[in-house]
Amino acid sequence: MSSNSAVVVGGGIGGLAAAIGLRLAGWEVTVVERAAVLDDAGAGISLAANGMRALAALGVGEAVEAAARRQYTGGTRTPDGRRLAMMDGEALERELGAPIVGIPRAALHRILRQALPTESLVIGAEVTDVDTTDPSRVRVRHGDSTLDAALVVAADGINSRLRRRLFPAHPGPAYSGSTVLRAITERPVDGLTADFELTWGHGAEFGHIAFPDGTAEWHAVLNAPAGVRYRDPLTEVRRRFARWHEPIPALLAATRPEAVLHHDVNVLATPLPSFVAGRIALLGDAAHAMTPHLGQGACQALEDAVTLAAALAGAPSVEGALARYDAARRPRSQTVARDARRAGRMGQQLANPLAVGLRNAAIRLTPPGVMVRTVLKHADWAPPRIAPRAA
Ligand SMILES: Cc1cc2nc3c(=O)[nH]c(=O)nc-3n(C[C@H](O)[C@H](O)[C@H](O)COP(=O)(O)OP(=O)(O)OC[C@H]3O[C@@H](n4cnc5c(N)ncnc54)[C@H](O)[C@@H]3O)c2cc1C
């Protein structure tokens, strides 16, 4: 085992980004992913300026921009179509120095995957345990195999096995109260003028993210008991949102029933006391799974990846670098997670008609742009430089 060998557990957006960053920092990296096919099963994703800056620091910013659509127009509305807040994405891009974009998750995942050598990816391999008894290395077990590494990155998502193993007293994920149905349309949608839009009803939100080819992802987020499932999810969404403004019916009409994904939104409601245990760093949803109400989960995972790589680049000790990573990332990502829950409570989850009316009136009285800036306040982030280790 060399002193710069790293194993990344999990090949999602966070794990792949961490692997790219660590390679830039001079590490030899192996990504171990349990899925037989390395892909991302989600629909679409919105990347704010902080996420785009992290991707640029990883050297894949241009490829992502080329596959994405800039979110210049849109904002929030009420179900009858009345405007609550407008978004001026061009002005935000000028202000933040990077665009907000919408991209199919599969396209983002493919770009990250292609930035890594095939031989660094071990797929169809579920990590079952880590042995941390020797302080100079971590032994990672998958199937009948083991891998020794000077550093392990636990990027194994919200139900992280490594988090449970390293922080057995932590209660783990909790249901947020919202369930989400989403899909990508099978064809371009007529009349889709806004790049990005959110519509708030009572305890329900409908949003879309448009892609360069005129298709779009839509998501319907509903207050619901944990575990609720519908026999025919698309019919249920069409029923619930039948009277909502265009292009919502058009988006649903352009969707195949089998394209609809349905997940409960779980979060790490209890913040972790550390993102580090010995030579293991937690990253992405494994460290700080948050509600999607600010569109920041993946952006925070990308920030983690760049910050971790920068901390380790040229560092004399892994332990010291991981302590700096924890200090830089834990307060920020946990603040974003807390704000995302608040945004959900004041936005999608608000169900009381009086409270909804008051909220909408308050938003209409807010000067243009202020509301969008509040939602995007975490987008203003500059990546640290990843300086490669001297040979
Ligand atoms: C509805 C919804 C909408 C969202 N929209 C946005 C958005 O617009 N913008 C944004 O920034 N974020 C968004 N997010 C959040 C974002 O999707 C997540 O934060 C992000 O995908 C987390 O990436 P990750 O790599 O940490 O975890 P994951 O994507 O969950 O990846 C974990 C990987 O680890 C693998 N794995 C797990 N256990 C093991 C094991 N034992 N061994 C090997 N492999 C293992 C899994 O198979 C998986 O591939 C949204 C989330 C939801 C639910």
Side-chain angles (χ1 to χ4, degrees):
M1 182 204 85
S2 70
S3 64
N4 66 340
S5 60
V7 170
V8 176
V9 181
I13 292 168
L16 296 183
I20 297 169
L22 288 173
R23 280 173 51 79
L24 290 175
W27 285 72
E28 292 164 10
V29 186
T30 305
V31 179
V32 183
E33 164 59 47
R34 74 176 165 199
V37 177
L38 198 53
D39 202 351
D40 188 302
I45 196 162
S46 187
L47 295 169
N50 55 325
M52 291 304 286
R53 289 186 144 187
L55 288 162
L58 296 173
V60 292
E62 283 179 16
V64 171
E65 276 194 44
R69 174 159 157 174
R70 280 173 150 74
Q71 293 181 347
Y72 279 163
T73 58
T76 48
R77 297 214 246 172
T78 53
D80 58 8
R82 276 186 299 162
R83 179 68 60 197
L84 279 173
M86 281 283 278
M87 164 155 125
D88 181 349
E90 271 183 282
L92 284 165
E93 180 175 342
R94 279 195 300 277
E95 195 176 309
L96 296 170
I100 309 163
V101 306
I103 185 169
R105 293 181 71 113
L108 172 62
H109 197 267
R110 187 169 50 246
I111 290 166
L112 295 172
R113 214 164 58 222
Q114 287 171 349
L116 290 165
T118 321
E119 60 274 16
S120 68
L121 307 171
V122 179
I123 57 172
E126 178 161 6
V127 170
T128 48
D129 202 4
V130 282
D131 182 344
T132 54
T133 38
D134 179 346
S136 69
R137 62 158 167 76
V138 181
R139 180 156 284 180
V140 178
R141 289 185 208 291
H142 63 89
D144 294 334
S145 309
T146 56
L147 284 168
D148 285 343
L151 165 76
V152 168
V153 179
D156 50 347
I158 184 165
N159 295 313
S160 169
R161 185 192 287 256
L162 265 55
R163 185 185 61 235
R164 281 201 305 277
R165 161 81 165 74
L166 300 168
F167 297 94
H170 187 272
Y175 181 51
S176 69
S178 299
T179 199
V180 59
L181 297 103
R182 54 195 168 136
I184 293 182
T185 62
E186 67 168 330
R187 57 175 188 270
V189 181
D190 290 339
L192 195 65
T193 48
D195 298 324
F196 168 84
E197 201 141 58
L198 280 184
T199 301
W200 285 335
H202 299 91
E205 168 186 295
F206 192 98
H208 82 256
I209 300 170
F211 300 139
D213 64 358
T215 62
E217 91 107 53
W218 57 259
H219 55 269
V221 194
L222 307 167
N223 290 355
V228 72
R229 287 296 174 269
Y230 308 108
R231 205 167 46 82
D232 179 346
L234 184 57
T235 302
E236 177 64 21
V237 179
R238 285 183 177 150
R239 184 187 70 75
R240 293 235 189 182
F241 295 90
R243 291 174 188 279
W244 288 36
H245 65 82
E246 285 292 355
I248 293 170
L251 285 157
L252 296 175
T255 303
R256 282 181 298 118
E258 57 276 22
V260 180
L261 305 169
H262 184 181
H263 294 107
D264 285 353
V265 178
N266 294 318
V267 293
L268 280 197
T270 306
L272 277 174
S274 176
F275 286 179
V276 171
R279 290 174 171 269
I280 305 176
L282 280 82
L283 171 150
D285 279 8
H288 46 61
M290 59 189 72
T291 70
H293 296 104
L294 289 180
Q296 273 288 333
C299 292
Q300 291 303 305
L302 294 168
E303 287 190 14
D304 291 344
V306 175
T307 308
L308 179 66
L312 283 155
S317 90
V318 169
E319 291 85 349
L322 294 190
R324 288 197 298 284
Y325 165 73
D326 180 56
R329 293 304 307 148
R330 196 156 42 87
R332 172 163 164 84
S333 58
Q334 290 177 345
T335 300
V336 177
R338 187 200 61 209
D339 288 356
R341 288 197 91 177
R342 281 189 188 151
R345 282 198 285 269
M346 288 309 293
Q348 175 263 313
Q349 292 185 327
L350 204 62
N352 177 291
L354 182 64
V356 169
L358 286 171
R359 177 203 62 205
N360 291 354
I363 292 175
R364 287 201 178 94
L365 289 171
T366 307
V370 171
M371 157 86 184
V372 177
R373 277 184 179 71
T374 307
V375 171
L376 288 173
K377 73 176 178 186
H378 298 299
D380 195 2
W381 174 83
R385 201 169 81 82
I386 304 172
R389 273 193 199 207

